[in-house]
Amino acid sequence: SVLLFCISVTLSPAGFVQISKSCILNINVLDFVRPLLNSRMEATLKNGERLNVSRKYLVNIKSKLQEGM
């Protein structure tokens, strides 16, 4: 079985980033990110779906967003 981390590394150049232990996010469909309580963030996609970004993976999404600037 392939680990989600391995998939996220492979897909990273295409704009994907791991945001939790069970989710990889495509930055290209990200609408905005907002803070929640307990140091977590919520990512809202362009289709309105909301995903939780865990503290452990917060640095991943921050660095991916900075790459795009």
Side-chain angles (χ1 to χ4, degrees):
S1 139
V2 179
L3 296 175
L4 194 59
F5 171 76
C6 295
I7 295 171
S8 70
V9 169
T10 303
L11 294 175
S12 181
F16 288 82
V17 62
Q18 188 167 357
I19 62 167
S20 71
K21 68 179 183 177
S22 62
C23 186
I24 296 176
L25 171 71
N26 181 347
I27 292 294
N28 299 312
V29 298
L30 179 65
D31 192 14
F32 61 90
V33 179
R34 70 181 184 99
L36 297 175
L37 299 175
N38 65 13
S39 303
R40 291 174 59 171
M41 302 287 274
E42 181 181 74
T44 301
L45 308 184
K46 292 178 181 177
N47 68 359
E49 185 175 352
R50 292 187 235 164
L51 304 170
N52 288 325
V53 180
S54 65
R55 287 188 302 242
K56 178 179 179 181
Y57 298 97
L58 194 53
V59 68
N60 293 354
I61 195 169
K62 284 182 179 180
S63 65
K64 186 58 82 173
L65 288 171
Q66 288 175 344
E67 285 176 19
M69 295 180 164

